Amino acid sequence: MSSVLYDTPGPRAKRRNLLYSALFLVLLAAGVWWALSMMAEKNQLTAEKWSPFVTDSAIWTTFLFPGLGETLKAAGLALVIALPLGALLGIGRLSDHAWVRVPIGAVVEFFRAIPVLVMMVFASAMFVQFTTIESEVRPLYAVVTGLVLYNASVIAEIVRAGILSLPAGQTDAAKAIGMRKGQTMRYVLLPQAVTAMLPALVSQLVVIVKDTALGGAVLGFSELLFQIRSITANYGANTIAAFTVVALMYIAVNGLLTRFAGWLERRLRQGGKSSGATVDITDIDTELGGGVAEEVAVRKGHGTGT
Amino acid sequence: MQFRKTSAALAAVATLSLTATACGSSSGDGDKIVIGIKYDQPGLGLKTPDGKYTGFDVDVATYVAKELGYGADKIEFKQAPSAERENLIRNGDVKFVVASYSINDKRKAVVDFAGPYFLAHQDLLVRADDNSIKQASDLNAKKLCSVTGSTSAQNVKEKLAPKADLQEFGGYSECITGLENGAVDALTTDNSILAGYAAQKEHQGKFKLVGLKLSDEHYGIGLKKGDKELRDKINAALEKMKSDGSWEKAVKANFGPANYKNEPAPAITEK
Amino acid sequence: MFDFLDNPQYDLLGAFWVTVQLALYSALGSLILGTLLVGMRVSPVPLMRGFATTYVNAVRNTPLTIVLIGCSLVLYQTLGITLAGGDSKTIGFRMAVLGLAAYTGTFVCEALRSGINTVPVGQAEAARALGLSFFQVLTLIVLPQAFRSVIAPLANVLIALTKNTTVAAAIGVAEASLLMKEMVENESDSLLAVFGVIAFGFVLLTLPTGLLLGWVAKRMAVKR
């Protein structure tokens, strides 16, 4: 399979690509070797810093897995609350009445413009001052509040884009058979828009999972990243090892979610919900960026949602 | 057909997130005592991977609890991060807090203290082979590390060595890594905390305390405002701990080597 | 209620100026890195494709906090890379820019990749028929058109970047959110005012960016 960006390599081009590959490999290896030898020189690669993650299962059961649990709990809660809220806001923003549309638009734009971290800090401070929420769950509440406020407004935009991506004929047809606005939304537009939105929603979950880590850094919410504090306190400041392991855990979890999103997207496309174009997704190399062909297929098929 | 698949997928997502949230909250027993400690401070209060707690604060807390009539199996430890200590006490989430809690007037307006049970000083931790830092003003040409927004860092920056090159991180471990690698020259905070790090088996012989007394930190046991009865009981327990030698033993056990000379047990002032 | 603004202890404008600088330098860095990455991702050299894909997938899935602390802890504290020396504060700032660019670059790469795909196949085919090499096809024909079609998504990436600068507080960069945390601790009786001021600052930074780039996107769009 070749890309439209370059000719199918002949013998000379193949040799040249091989040469570039080798050069690139040498550069990369030299960089990695230099970094590793520097780290070894500073005793950052010693077994005593890294081996606990392999030899001591307690490090996983006491710190890392409970931390991951908290991360997923906060992310799950945030998504479950933000989803209906976001859907309402998204639909509200499409309303025919200006008195609904305009304020909702302002709210959505406002919360999209403010950093999640700022909202979390603020939510936590508010909870301390004006509520009696127990200190045990307060960080969780603050993190979820921040995530919900931000993600509801993002989801609102996803929903709006999903509905707007549907062909105008759908609304026209619904009107023609005498449906009211609410009916059109409920029976015609939303079911189709949900299909178009799902992958974007799952991708948003990746963002939420990553953002829970902010709660650990600023509020002491005991999620995965925060466990590094306890681990490094117990195993002699093995910070680099601990950050590496935790980063790999995030990459694994988010990689799975991304993969799920990709699978979902393919499934939904194969179902061929939209009229017209027939899209054969299987010959599109999404992993390695098959080049121009990919998006052409996408464009013939659907709008991409967002 | 298509719609059903979609809703099934949605349902799956929803169930996933719901099961993730299903998690019971533990409630304390009536005959237990809940004590707030630090979880991430070697030498003072540390949660170890096997779920146990070690450190000087933990030893003091255990001793006091025993004197109050709670055996080791009746103690429930709770994490008390610095910013949360007042809230924990005020809300009654903990009976008392033993968490490197310096007595000062601002805090005394909100909570009551028993003790003090320990006198710490702000000090510097340097590499064992580094003899170039002897007093605080030597820091002017050095790289200093502390945690973001800590009072120790402000103290150095404003009074002791205004030209010090201050690097701030979220936790002390990052500073230790920098110190280990020679990227920073000194780490500053209470000497009790520094000694705890220096005494860890991974750090034996690597770091030492300079032995400065840049501030006085009287560690007290924080408790609910106005609970005079409890305060008297805790003070009595602390007196006993000092007189029967347990105090000395706990200090030796937790702040071992690394040039750390502890102050004698302070007299109880919070009565 | 807003008395705290007169307190000389809080350098609000200074903090936001750091935020703006962080955002600008990181934006520049991430655009360059993103372009390089996308070039590698669609290149005929398999190893470069593999590297760019791995890099994008790994960094995009890591929380920014880890990326930033990693930059400071590994690059500066361990490998001794300071990018032209200076004191901890300036090095910390540079590390934050580096980390933000390394993180945002992956999103720029993804946006550009979908942008490349909006360029009609005929364009690249025609260029190849003229005998242009891959590098020429990419830089002369495809990327200029791709850039014009992804200004709107890039605007979103850059707005997200502006907000993400708040995470630089984790390595001690004195930007707006660090100041906010300090104000929240000291001014607990005017929380809403503190939040209002900081929120207003960010709205002021992100909204015009969005509007401006939205307008540019409309003007620059390739009419097909």
Side-chain angles (χ1 to χ4, degrees), chain A residues 117-177:
Chain A
L117 186 139
V118 167
M119 280 189 260
M120 284 182 188
V121 171
F122 178 68
S124 172
M126 289 297 269
F127 287 156
V128 168
Q129 229 182 354
F130 300 113
T131 66
T132 50
I133 297 174
E134 268 189 59
S135 63
E136 197 152 316
V137 289
R138 195 188 316 119
L140 173 70
Y141 279 35
V143 166
V144 171
T145 308
L147 288 175
V148 164
L149 288 179
Y150 174 64
N151 287 292
S153 55
V154 172
I155 289 171
E157 285 302 279
I158 296 178
V159 169
R160 191 167 76 114
I163 292 173
L164 287 178
S165 76
L166 300 174
Q170 297 282 337
T171 318
D172 295 344
K175 266 188 201 148
I177 56 171

Coordinates of all heavy atoms in Angstrom, one line a residue, chain A residues 117-177:
Chain A
L117 N -8.1 23.5 36.0 CA -7.4 23.6 37.2 C -7.9 24.8 38.1 O -8.1 24.6 39.3 CB -5.9 23.8 36.9 CG -4.9 23.8 38.1 CD1 -3.7 23.0 37.7 CD2 -4.5 25.2 38.5
V118 N -8.2 25.9 37.4 CA -8.7 27.0 38.1 C -10.1 26.7 38.7 O -10.4 27.0 39.9 CB -8.8 28.2 37.2 CG1 -9.6 29.4 37.8 CG2 -7.4 28.7 36.9
M119 N -10.9 26.0 37.9 CA -12.2 25.6 38.4 C -12.1 24.7 39.6 O -12.9 24.8 40.6 CB -13.0 25.0 37.3 CG -13.6 26.1 36.4 SD -14.8 25.3 35.3 CE -13.8 25.2 33.8
M120 N -11.2 23.7 39.6 CA -11.0 22.8 40.7 C -10.6 23.5 42.0 O -11.2 23.3 43.0 CB -10.0 21.8 40.3 CG -10.4 20.7 39.4 SD -9.1 19.5 39.1 CE -9.8 18.6 37.8
V121 N -9.6 24.4 41.8 CA -9.2 25.1 43.0 C -10.3 25.9 43.6 O -10.5 25.9 44.8 CB -8.0 26.0 42.7 CG1 -7.6 26.9 43.8 CG2 -6.8 25.2 42.3
F122 N -11.0 26.6 42.7 CA -12.1 27.4 43.2 C -13.2 26.5 43.8 O -13.7 26.9 44.9 CB -12.7 28.2 42.0 CG -13.9 29.0 42.4 CD1 -13.7 30.1 43.2 CD2 -15.1 28.7 42.0 CE1 -14.7 30.9 43.6 CE2 -16.2 29.5 42.4 CZ -16.0 30.6 43.2
A123 N -13.6 25.4 43.2 CA -14.6 24.6 43.7 C -14.2 24.1 45.1 O -15.1 24.1 46.1 CB -14.9 23.4 42.8
S124 N -13.0 23.7 45.3 CA -12.5 23.2 46.6 C -12.6 24.3 47.6 O -13.2 24.0 48.7 CB -11.1 22.7 46.4 OG -10.6 22.4 47.7
A125 N -12.2 25.5 47.3 CA -12.3 26.6 48.2 C -13.7 26.9 48.6 O -14.0 27.2 49.8 CB -11.6 27.8 47.6
M126 N -14.6 26.9 47.6 CA -16.0 27.1 47.9 C -16.6 26.0 48.9 O -17.3 26.3 49.8 CB -16.8 27.1 46.6 CG -16.6 28.3 45.7 SD -17.1 29.8 46.5 CE -18.8 29.9 45.9
F127 N -16.3 24.8 48.6 CA -16.8 23.7 49.4 C -16.3 23.9 50.9 O -17.0 23.6 51.8 CB -16.3 22.3 48.9 CG -17.0 21.9 47.6 CD1 -16.5 21.1 46.7 CD2 -18.3 22.5 47.3 CE1 -17.1 20.7 45.6 CE2 -18.9 22.1 46.2 CZ -18.4 21.2 45.3
V128 N -15.0 24.3 51.0 CA -14.5 24.4 52.4 C -15.3 25.5 53.1 O -15.7 25.3 54.2 CB -13.0 24.8 52.3 CG1 -12.6 25.3 53.7 CG2 -12.2 23.7 51.9
Q129 N -15.6 26.6 52.4 CA -16.2 27.7 53.1 C -17.7 27.6 53.3 O -18.2 28.0 54.3 CB -15.9 29.0 52.3 CG -15.4 30.0 53.3 CD -15.1 31.3 52.7 OE1 -15.1 31.5 51.5 NE2 -14.7 32.3 53.5
F130 N -18.4 27.1 52.3 CA -19.9 27.2 52.3 C -20.6 25.9 52.5 O -21.8 25.8 52.6 CB -20.4 27.9 51.1 CG -19.8 29.3 50.9 CD1 -19.0 29.6 49.9 CD2 -20.2 30.3 51.8 CE1 -18.5 30.8 49.7 CE2 -19.7 31.5 51.7 CZ -18.8 31.8 50.6
T131 N -19.9 24.8 52.6 CA -20.6 23.5 52.7 C -19.9 22.7 53.9 O -18.9 23.1 54.4 CB -20.5 22.6 51.5 OG1 -19.2 22.2 51.3 CG2 -21.0 23.3 50.3
T132 N -20.6 21.6 54.2 CA -20.0 20.8 55.3 C -19.6 19.4 54.7 O -19.6 18.4 55.4 CB -21.1 20.5 56.4 OG1 -22.3 20.1 55.8 CG2 -21.3 21.8 57.2
I133 N -19.3 19.4 53.4 CA -18.8 18.2 52.8 C -17.6 17.7 53.6 O -16.7 18.5 53.9 CB -18.5 18.4 51.3 CG1 -19.7 18.9 50.6 CG2 -17.9 17.2 50.7 CD1 -19.4 19.3 49.2
E134 N -17.6 16.4 53.9 CA -16.5 15.8 54.7 C -15.2 16.0 53.9 O -15.1 15.9 52.7 CB -16.7 14.4 54.9 CG -17.5 14.1 56.2 CD -17.5 12.6 56.4 OE1 -16.4 12.0 56.5 OE2 -18.6 12.0 56.5
S135 N -14.1 16.2 54.7 CA -12.8 16.4 54.1 C -12.4 15.2 53.3 O -11.6 15.3 52.4 CB -11.8 16.8 55.1 OG -11.6 15.7 56.0
E136 N -12.9 14.0 53.7 CA -12.5 12.8 53.0 C -12.9 12.8 51.5 O -12.1 12.4 50.7 CB -13.1 11.6 53.7 CG -12.5 10.3 53.4 CD -12.7 9.4 54.5 OE1 -12.5 9.8 55.7 OE2 -13.0 8.2 54.3
V137 N -14.1 13.3 51.2 CA -14.6 13.3 49.9 C -14.5 14.6 49.2 O -14.8 14.7 48.0 CB -16.0 12.7 49.8 CG1 -16.0 11.3 50.1 CG2 -16.9 13.5 50.7
R138 N -14.1 15.6 49.9 CA -14.1 17.0 49.3 C -13.2 17.1 48.1 O -13.7 17.6 47.1 CB -13.7 18.0 50.4 CG -14.1 19.4 49.9 CD -13.6 20.5 50.7 NE -13.8 20.3 52.1 CZ -12.7 20.2 53.0 NH1 -11.5 20.4 52.6 NH2 -13.0 20.0 54.3
P139 N -12.0 16.6 48.1 CA -11.2 16.6 46.9 C -11.8 16.0 45.7 O -11.8 16.5 44.6 CB -9.9 15.9 47.3 CG -9.8 16.0 48.7 CD -11.2 16.0 49.2
L140 N -12.5 14.8 46.0 CA -13.2 14.1 44.9 C -14.3 15.0 44.3 O -14.4 15.2 43.1 CB -13.8 12.8 45.4 CG -14.7 12.1 44.4 CD1 -13.8 11.5 43.2 CD2 -15.4 11.0 45.1
Y141 N -15.1 15.6 45.2 CA -16.2 16.5 44.8 C -15.6 17.7 44.0 O -16.2 18.0 43.0 CB -16.9 17.0 46.0 CG -17.9 16.0 46.6 CD1 -17.7 14.7 46.6 CD2 -19.2 16.5 47.2 CE1 -18.6 13.8 47.1 CE2 -20.1 15.6 47.7 CZ -19.8 14.2 47.7 OH -20.7 13.4 48.2
A142 N -14.5 18.3 44.5 CA -14.0 19.4 43.8 C -13.5 19.1 42.5 O -13.8 19.8 41.5 CB -12.9 20.0 44.7
V143 N -12.8 17.9 42.4 CA -12.3 17.5 41.1 C -13.4 17.2 40.1 O -13.4 17.7 39.0 CB -11.4 16.2 41.3 CG1 -11.2 15.5 39.9 CG2 -10.1 16.5 41.9
V144 N -14.5 16.5 40.6 CA -15.6 16.2 39.7 C -16.3 17.4 39.3 O -16.7 17.6 38.2 CB -16.5 15.1 40.4 CG1 -17.8 15.0 39.6 CG2 -15.8 13.8 40.6
T145 N -16.5 18.4 40.2 CA -17.2 19.6 39.9 C -16.4 20.3 38.8 O -17.0 20.8 37.8 CB -17.2 20.6 41.1 OG1 -17.8 19.8 42.2 CG2 -18.1 21.8 40.8
G146 N -15.1 20.5 39.0 CA -14.3 21.2 37.9 C -14.5 20.5 36.6 O -14.7 21.1 35.5
L147 N -14.3 19.1 36.6 CA -14.4 18.4 35.4 C -15.8 18.5 34.7 O -15.9 18.6 33.5 CB -14.1 16.9 35.6 CG -12.6 16.6 36.0 CD1 -12.5 15.1 36.3 CD2 -11.8 16.9 34.8
V148 N -16.8 18.4 35.6 CA -18.2 18.5 35.0 C -18.4 19.8 34.3 O -18.9 19.9 33.2 CB -19.2 18.2 36.1 CG1 -20.6 18.6 35.6 CG2 -19.3 16.7 36.5
L149 N -18.1 20.9 35.0 CA -18.3 22.2 34.5 C -17.7 22.4 33.1 O -18.3 22.9 32.2 CB -17.8 23.3 35.4 CG -18.6 23.5 36.7 CD1 -18.0 24.6 37.6 CD2 -20.1 23.9 36.4
Y150 N -16.4 22.0 33.1 CA -15.7 22.1 31.8 C -16.2 21.2 30.7 O -16.6 21.6 29.6 CB -14.2 21.9 32.0 CG -13.4 21.9 30.7 CD1 -13.3 23.0 30.0 CD2 -12.8 20.7 30.3 CE1 -12.6 23.0 28.8 CE2 -12.0 20.7 29.1 CZ -12.0 21.9 28.4 OH -11.3 21.9 27.2
N151 N -16.3 19.9 31.1 CA -16.7 18.9 30.1 C -18.1 18.9 29.6 O -18.4 18.6 28.5 CB -16.3 17.5 30.6 CG -14.8 17.3 30.6 OD1 -14.2 17.2 29.6 ND2 -14.3 17.2 31.8
A152 N -19.0 19.4 30.5 CA -20.4 19.6 30.1 C -20.5 20.6 28.9 O -21.2 20.4 27.9 CB -21.3 20.1 31.2
S153 N -19.6 21.7 29.1 CA -19.7 22.6 28.0 C -19.0 22.1 26.7 O -19.4 22.5 25.6 CB -19.0 24.0 28.5 OG -17.7 23.8 28.9
V154 N -18.0 21.3 26.9 CA -17.4 20.7 25.7 C -18.3 19.7 25.1 O -18.5 19.7 23.8 CB -16.0 19.9 26.1 CG1 -15.5 19.2 24.9 CG2 -15.0 20.9 26.5
I155 N -19.0 18.9 25.9 CA -20.0 17.9 25.4 C -21.1 18.6 24.7 O -21.6 18.2 23.6 CB -20.5 17.0 26.5 CG1 -19.3 16.0 26.9 CG2 -21.7 16.2 26.0 CD1 -19.6 15.2 28.1
A156 N -21.5 19.8 25.3 CA -22.6 20.6 24.6 C -22.2 20.9 23.2 O -23.0 20.8 22.3 CB -22.8 21.9 25.4
E157 N -20.9 21.3 23.0 CA -20.4 21.6 21.7 C -20.4 20.4 20.8 O -20.7 20.5 19.6 CB -19.0 22.3 21.7 CG -19.0 23.7 22.2 CD -19.9 24.6 21.4 OE1 -19.4 25.0 20.3 OE2 -21.1 24.8 21.7
I158 N -20.0 19.2 21.3 CA -20.0 18.0 20.5 C -21.4 17.7 20.1 O -21.6 17.3 18.9 CB -19.4 16.8 21.4 CG1 -17.9 17.1 21.7 CG2 -19.5 15.5 20.6 CD1 -17.3 16.0 22.5
V159 N -22.4 17.8 21.0 CA -23.8 17.5 20.7 C -24.3 18.4 19.6 O -24.9 18.0 18.6 CB -24.6 17.6 22.0 CG1 -26.1 17.5 21.6 CG2 -24.3 16.5 22.9
R160 N -24.0 19.7 19.8 CA -24.4 20.7 18.8 C -23.8 20.4 17.4 O -24.6 20.3 16.4 CB -24.0 22.1 19.3 CG -24.6 23.2 18.4 CD -24.4 24.5 19.1 NE -23.1 25.0 18.9 CZ -22.8 26.0 18.2 NH1 -23.7 26.7 17.6 NH2 -21.5 26.4 18.1
A161 N -22.5 20.1 17.4 CA -21.9 19.8 16.1 C -22.5 18.5 15.6 O -22.7 18.4 14.3 CB -20.4 19.6 16.3
G162 N -22.8 17.5 16.4 CA -23.3 16.3 16.0 C -24.7 16.5 15.3 O -24.9 16.0 14.2
I163 N -25.5 17.3 15.9 CA -26.8 17.6 15.3 C -26.7 18.4 14.1 O -27.4 18.2 13.1 CB -27.7 18.3 16.4 CG1 -28.0 17.4 17.5 CG2 -29.0 18.8 15.7 CD1 -28.7 18.0 18.7
L164 N -25.8 19.4 14.1 CA -25.6 20.3 12.9 C -25.0 19.5 11.7 O -25.2 19.9 10.6 CB -24.7 21.5 13.2 CG -25.4 22.5 14.1 CD1 -24.4 23.6 14.4 CD2 -26.6 23.1 13.4
S165 N -24.3 18.4 12.0 CA -23.7 17.6 11.0 C -24.7 16.8 10.1 O -24.4 16.3 9.1 CB -22.6 16.7 11.5 OG -23.2 15.6 12.1
L166 N -25.9 16.7 10.7 CA -26.9 15.9 9.9 C -27.4 16.7 8.7 O -27.6 17.9 8.8 CB -28.1 15.6 10.9 CG -27.7 14.7 12.1 CD1 -28.9 14.6 13.0 CD2 -27.2 13.4 11.6
P167 N -27.7 16.0 7.7 CA -28.3 16.7 6.5 C -29.6 17.5 6.8 O -30.4 17.0 7.6 CB -28.5 15.6 5.5 CG -27.8 14.4 6.0 CD -27.6 14.6 7.5
A168 N -29.7 18.7 6.2 CA -30.9 19.5 6.5 C -32.2 18.8 6.1 O -33.3 19.0 6.7 CB -30.8 20.8 5.8
G169 N -32.1 17.9 5.2 CA -33.2 17.1 4.7 C -33.9 16.3 5.8 O -35.1 16.1 5.8
Q170 N -33.2 15.9 6.8 CA -33.7 15.2 7.9 C -34.8 16.0 8.6 O -35.9 15.5 8.9 CB -32.6 14.8 8.9 CG -31.6 13.9 8.3 CD -32.1 12.4 8.2 OE1 -33.0 12.0 8.9 NE2 -31.5 11.7 7.3
T171 N -34.4 17.3 8.9 CA -35.4 18.2 9.6 C -36.6 18.5 8.7 O -37.7 18.4 9.1 CB -34.7 19.5 10.0 OG1 -33.4 19.2 10.5 CG2 -35.5 20.2 11.0
D172 N -36.3 18.8 7.4 CA -37.3 19.1 6.5 C -38.3 17.9 6.4 O -39.5 18.1 6.4 CB -36.7 19.3 5.1 CG -35.8 20.6 5.1 OD1 -36.0 21.4 6.1 OD2 -35.0 20.7 4.2
A173 N -37.8 16.7 6.3 CA -38.7 15.6 6.1 C -39.5 15.4 7.4 O -40.7 15.1 7.3 CB -37.8 14.3 5.9
A174 N -38.9 15.6 8.5 CA -39.7 15.5 9.8 C -40.8 16.5 9.8 O -41.9 16.2 10.2 CB -38.7 15.7 11.0
K175 N -40.5 17.7 9.4 CA -41.5 18.8 9.4 C -42.6 18.4 8.4 O -43.8 18.6 8.7 CB -40.8 20.1 8.9 CG -40.4 21.0 10.0 CD -39.9 22.4 9.4 CE -39.0 23.1 10.4 NZ -38.0 23.9 9.7
A176 N -42.2 17.9 7.3 CA -43.1 17.5 6.2 C -44.2 16.5 6.7 O -45.3 16.5 6.3 CB -42.4 17.0 5.0
I177 N -43.7 15.6 7.6 CA -44.7 14.6 8.1 C -45.4 15.1 9.4 O -46.0 14.3 10.1 CB -44.1 13.2 8.3 CG1 -42.9 13.3 9.3 CG2 -43.7 12.6 7.0 CD1 -42.5 11.9 9.7

